[in-house]
Amino acid sequence: MKWLLHFDVIRGPHSTGIATVGLNDKRPNDYTVMKALGFPEDLYKAYPAEFDEGKLKDWGADVIIGHNRWATQGGISVETAHPFAFEHVIGAHNGTVKQSSLADFEGFLDHVVDSQIIFSQLNYDNNLQTVWDKADGAMALVWWDKRDDLLHIARNDERELFYCYTKDKKCVFWASERWMLSVALAKCGIEHDVITPITPNKHYTFNPKWLEVTHHEGDLVPYVKPPTFNWADYDDDDNYYRMAFRRNQQKTNKKILRINEYNNEGPNDWNGKFFGFF
């Protein structure tokens, strides 16, 4: 895990985080999230007791999710570092999604990072296809769901993700780039099966509770961009204005009122969150 965190710094130097899940007798239903700004060494310094030499192996964690962030939204802070933890879901995201496409998601007004909004929605309705139907952008998602005790992985065709099993099928590893798995496992002397790409628009679930890690793959309907309004398709002003009025009616007035109410409370920190929304 440490080797993978160090290799993955090339994909994001702004923050490092991990989430651990315990399912065995040593750590029953134990969930821990640790995050820090900067490199993996900064994470180790922030949690010295947890990262003492050999302590990582002694945790007895059944699942460890790691992430190195390159900040694209929401600024650089521990709060905006991955993984994100909600009541049911703990997850990390590689990619960038247009926040305007998430306007109907649970938590849209509460979070400043696209990834937080996505996991807030999954925590709310547990329906990945909803995310796939509306999220416009690059996504490789990994999350643990406490409701089914499964690790979930999915990506679209804008981000890569790879995984492999150990030879005995007792452990599975994943990473954003193939070479990271190959080198990290070789450095640790771990024999493994073929490194395989996660198929785009497939929902993988991994079950770590038994003697072997097993997985299932389900299909997702790929995202389709909505048709754009082209005023040139209308041959007179009356048709143009009727269509514009109809489109405005379709927008959620409740959402607009909530935004205005928030702004009236004082200075805001949306950082362009609603660019292109109105």
Side-chain angles (χ1 to χ4, degrees):
M1 188 65 200
K2 284 187 172 181
W3 278 114
L4 288 173
L5 279 178
H6 284 287
F7 292 155
D8 202 53
V9 164
I10 67 170
R11 303 192 60 83
H14 295 136
S15 62
T16 304
I18 68 170
T20 69
V21 179
L23 300 172
N24 53 37
D25 293 337
K26 189 173 182 180
R27 292 181 57 184
N29 298 315
D30 180 24
Y31 309 93
T32 303
V33 176
M34 291 172 281
K35 304 189 284 188
L37 299 183
F39 299 99
E41 293 89 346
D42 299 303
L43 179 68
Y44 307 154
K45 291 177 183 177
Y47 297 89
E50 289 81 357
F51 285 98
D52 285 344
E53 188 64 31
K55 189 71 178 290
L56 188 62
K57 294 180 181 178
D58 296 335
W59 281 352
D62 295 282
V63 179
I64 304 178
I65 301 172
H67 187 274
N68 303 82
R69 181 176 187 240
W70 190 291
T72 57
Q73 297 179 13
I76 301 173
S77 67
V78 173
E79 180 185 355
T80 57
H82 302 228
F84 297 106
F86 292 89
E87 180 183 3
H88 305 298
V89 168
I90 303 171
H93 166 219
N94 176 29
T96 304
V97 173
K98 295 178 182 178
Q99 289 203 17
S100 58
S101 69
L102 310 178
D104 293 331
F105 281 20
E106 180 72 15
F108 175 71
L109 296 179
D110 301 321
H111 306 296
V112 297
V113 177
D114 54 350
S115 313
Q116 286 176 297
I117 300 169
I118 289 170
F119 288 119
S120 177
Q121 178 67 23
L122 287 173
N123 182 75
Y124 172 72
D125 72 354
N126 196 24
N127 187 343
L128 182 59
Q129 187 59 58
T130 299
V131 176
W132 245 241
D133 287 342
K134 296 188 176 182
D136 182 3
M139 288 187 294
L141 304 174
V142 179
W143 73 99
W144 178 261
D145 198 315
K146 303 175 188 178
R147 290 167 291 203
D148 56 20
D149 281 347
L150 296 175
L151 180 76
H152 297 253
I153 297 180
R155 75 173 181 97
N156 61 18
D157 57 8
E158 296 187 47
R159 285 294 183 273
E160 291 190 322
L161 202 59
F162 299 86
Y163 77 100
C164 68
Y165 282 94
T166 53
K167 286 290 187 181
D168 60 9
K169 300 291 186 182
K170 292 184 178 180
C171 189
V172 64
F173 299 88
W174 67 89
S176 296
E177 299 184 26
R178 186 191 300 268
W179 70 268
M180 294 177 180
L181 289 172
S182 178
V183 177
L185 294 172
K187 291 284 291 183
C188 297
I190 298 175
E191 294 186 359
H192 60 88
D193 285 343
V194 62
I195 298 174
T196 306
I198 295 287
T199 303
N201 304 310
K202 289 277 189 181
H203 181 189
Y204 291 68
T205 53
F206 291 85
N207 187 341
K209 293 193 291 288
W210 311 111
L211 295 178
E212 290 187 357
V213 178
T214 57
H215 82 271
H216 171 77
E217 300 173 22
D219 291 328
L220 292 166
V221 179
Y223 170 79
V224 177
K225 286 184 178 291
T228 56
F229 173 70
N230 185 358
W231 65 270
D233 292 338
Y234 298 89
D235 53 10
D236 60 63
D237 288 343
D238 288 340
N239 277 340
Y240 172 78
Y241 287 115
R242 276 199 294 270
M243 176 56 69
F245 178 75
R246 196 175 302 121
R247 283 164 51 83
N248 285 334
Q249 283 184 315
Q250 292 171 355
K251 294 178 181 178
T252 56
N253 292 328
K254 180 179 179 182
K255 185 77 68 177
I256 294 173
L257 286 174
R258 290 178 65 188
I259 294 167
N260 289 336
E261 288 168 1
Y262 178 84
N263 288 337
N264 288 337
E265 292 178 2
N268 67 69
D269 58 353
W270 292 109
N271 293 326
K273 181 186 205 42
F274 300 108
F275 179 78
F277 177 67
F278 292 105

